[in-house]
Amino acid sequence: QVQLVESGGALVQPGGSLRLSCAAFGIAFSNYFMAWFRQVPGKQREWVAHITDGEERNYADSVRGRFTISRDNAKNTVYLEMNNLKPEDSAVYYCKAAGTFSYWGQGTQVTVSS
């Protein structure tokens, strides 16, 4: 059974940092393209960052220079390091594994507020 489990979401003040984790079960993780998306109520889910199986990375303009995506294939886990957080970063963050099939996690809430 395939499962993606996100963790690390929290309430943080503007300018703060968080690290999100997404642990994958039931897939050949190292072969998968991994991505982070986010969604706020009433809006479409938006792409944040991705990392390929060859560890090529790309970021949305809104987070480039503040967020870093990485993966640890030995732990079947992808991370999103988020620095200098802004209130507009508040959202539910989802990870996605894309390969022959695509899978989504259940999401983790990030709230940036003073």
Side-chain angles (χ1 to χ4, degrees):
Q1 181 180 355
V2 178
Q3 196 173 10
L4 301 179
V5 181
E6 299 101 332
S7 61
L11 170 63
V12 62
Q13 292 188 342
S17 298
L18 281 176
R19 187 175 81 156
L20 305 183
S21 301
C22 171
F25 303 90
I27 61 172
F29 179 81
S30 62
N31 295 336
Y32 275 74
F33 176 110
M34 299 299 297
W36 286 96
F37 286 74
R38 65 187 182 187
Q39 189 171 25
V40 298
K43 292 191 175 181
Q44 285 191 327
R45 192 169 296 188
E46 67 169 352
W47 167 74
V48 174
H50 71 245
I51 184 167
T52 70
D53 55 349
E55 303 216 16
E56 295 180 2
R57 299 166 172 83
N58 201 5
Y59 300 91
D61 289 343
S62 58
V63 307
R64 185 173 287 113
R66 300 187 298 122
F67 290 13
T68 302
I69 189 170
S70 61
R71 64 191 299 158
D72 185 337
N73 290 338
K75 296 182 178 180
N76 288 359
T77 300
V78 62
Y79 303 97
L80 187 68
E81 184 78 32
M82 306 186 295
N83 297 312
N84 190 22
L85 282 160
K86 304 176 181 181
E88 53 264 41
D89 295 317
S90 297
V92 178
Y93 283 72
Y94 298 89
C95 70
K96 178 181 179 180
T100 304
F101 301 99
S102 293
Y103 306 96
W104 291 91
Q106 83 290 346
T108 186
Q109 177 71 50
V110 172
T111 303
V112 184
S113 175
S114 54

